Amino acid sequence: MLVVNNVTKKYGKNVACKDVSFTLEPGSLTVLLGPNGAGKSTIIKSIIGFLKYDGEITVDGFPNKTSEARKIMGYIPELPSLYPTLTVIEHMEFIARAYKMTNYKDRIEMLLDRFELSDKKKKFDDELSKGMQQKLNLCVGLLPDPDIILMDEPLLGLDPHAIKELKNYIEEMRQAGKTMLISTHIIDSVDMLWDRTVIMQNGQVCANVSRSEIEGAGKTLEDQFFLVTEGISPSSVKAPVEVASSSDEGSSEAKGEK
Ligand code: ADP
């Protein structure tokens, strides 16, 4: 189980996350929703151990920056973080060795095949298109097959085939009992199976609800999102006047847009 407890992260005077708490239950898929600047990347980077913050994050009882916790977690960043001097296949082999994986060749072949990079094995980072770099970023993140995987806007920049493949892959990981946290600001992209949603705005969690709670109340994820981020109830979505009058609170500054 991954527990985020009262995490606050400030960049100078800018509070990127404030008292953020939530739990990822083993084997669950949690969607981290929020507009741009809501604090999603900041909390994910805090969990994976890239940032200093106030608060506590534990993974199966281990503090998140310990080697025990790091071994269990994997991270797919929003922007590819690749090495210019390595080819596609060298990236994969480098990660396999870094994680001390054995018998990794078939897994590398499988991932490169699924994300249509098999014919790009000898290409260097700067010879790949942005979408291909994004796919390599995914393959590198998925290779070690961790129990808990954090994905920051993983569908951005992917072509339709890769989006379909990643959604299928996410479903396979779900069936294999992986714990996943997937951030997005595009609600329409969340058509895969998910168990819980944590909605952030202005650095704070403004909703943490299960799928069954949302569906049991006769709502969609979109209804829930606009209800908590803009105070718009499902029935008032159809009323332009009410939507417009609530936009003061939803100014770009209030929403924390970058
Ligand atoms: P999201 O991922 O939801 O778009 P972020 O976590 O990237 O949001 O950003 C949350 C807030 O923190 C924003 O106000 C953003 O401008 C700020 N922020 C993020 N990274 C940095 C940074 N490296 N330095 C200063 N401010 C940052």
Side-chain angles (χ1 to χ4, degrees), residues 2-226:
L2 190 149
V3 180
V4 176
N5 193 12
N6 280 321
V7 169
T8 296
K9 170 67 190 171
K10 293 178 188 164
Y11 292 104
K13 286 184 185 164
N14 185 9
V15 183
C17 285
K18 188 167 187 298
D19 290 333
V20 171
S21 299
F22 59 83
T23 299
L24 303 185
E25 296 292 337
S28 65
L29 192 166
T30 301
V31 177
L32 182 59
L33 277 181
N36 292 328
K40 305 181 298 298
S41 294
T42 302
I43 198 67
I44 289 180
K45 286 183 201 159
S46 300
I47 295 171
I48 202 72
F50 288 175
L51 299 177
K52 286 185 180 168
Y53 54 83
D54 293 323
E56 189 186 42
I57 301 173
T58 57
V59 184
D60 290 352
F62 299 107
N64 64 329
K65 294 185 183 175
T66 58
S67 59
E68 289 89 344
R70 282 177 193 263
K71 257 187 256 168
I72 310 170
M73 288 190 291
Y75 167 56
I76 297 179
E78 180 180 5
L79 297 173
S81 136
L82 302 172
Y83 303 95
T85 54
L86 297 186
T87 62
V88 166
I89 191 71
E90 284 167 349
H91 271 93
M92 298 298 274
E93 288 176 347
F94 173 71
I95 294 297
R97 289 197 200 105
Y99 278 83
K100 299 190 170 59
M101 293 176 70
T102 49
N103 303 325
Y104 50 79
K105 301 246 180 235
D106 286 351
R107 188 165 168 76
I108 290 179
E109 292 299 326
M110 178 275 289
L111 285 168
L112 295 182
D113 183 45
R114 288 186 72 160
F115 290 97
E116 297 185 307
L117 289 175
S118 294
D119 59 343
K120 306 282 181 303
K121 279 183 196 164
K122 293 191 177 158
K123 298 273 184 206
F124 286 94
D125 171 35
D126 62 1
E127 295 176 290
L128 301 174
S129 70
K130 280 205 174 120
M132 289 172 194
Q133 290 176 353
Q134 200 70 26
K135 290 195 255 188
L136 178 56
N137 183 50
L138 273 177
C139 290
V140 162
L142 295 172
L143 180 60
D145 202 21
D147 285 343
I148 299 176
I149 186 140
L150 314 169
M151 303 189 204
D152 196 357
E153 304 270 5
L155 300 172
L156 281 190
L158 296 181
D159 59 32
H161 175 91
I163 289 176
K164 188 163 164 267
E165 200 57 54
L166 179 58
K167 286 182 176 176
N168 289 341
Y169 200 84
I170 288 170
E171 180 52 25
E172 287 166 33
M173 288 197 289
R174 202 179 124 86
Q175 284 175 15
K178 305 283 181 191
T179 306
M180 289 178 273
L181 179 68
I182 302 178
S183 83
T184 183
H185 66 282
I186 304 170
I187 308 173
D188 290 351
S189 69
V190 189
D191 56 359
M192 75 275 278
L193 290 173
W194 51 277
D195 303 295
R196 179 163 283 279
T197 183
V198 173
I199 303 178
M200 291 185 70
Q201 190 177 31
N202 300 329
Q204 291 183 286
V205 173
C206 51
N208 181 346
V209 279
S210 69
R211 184 181 192 130
S212 52
E213 283 170 309
I214 293 178
E215 291 179 352
K219 286 189 275 180
T220 64
L221 188 55
E222 190 176 29
D223 293 335
Q224 182 72 32
F225 180 81
F226 286 117

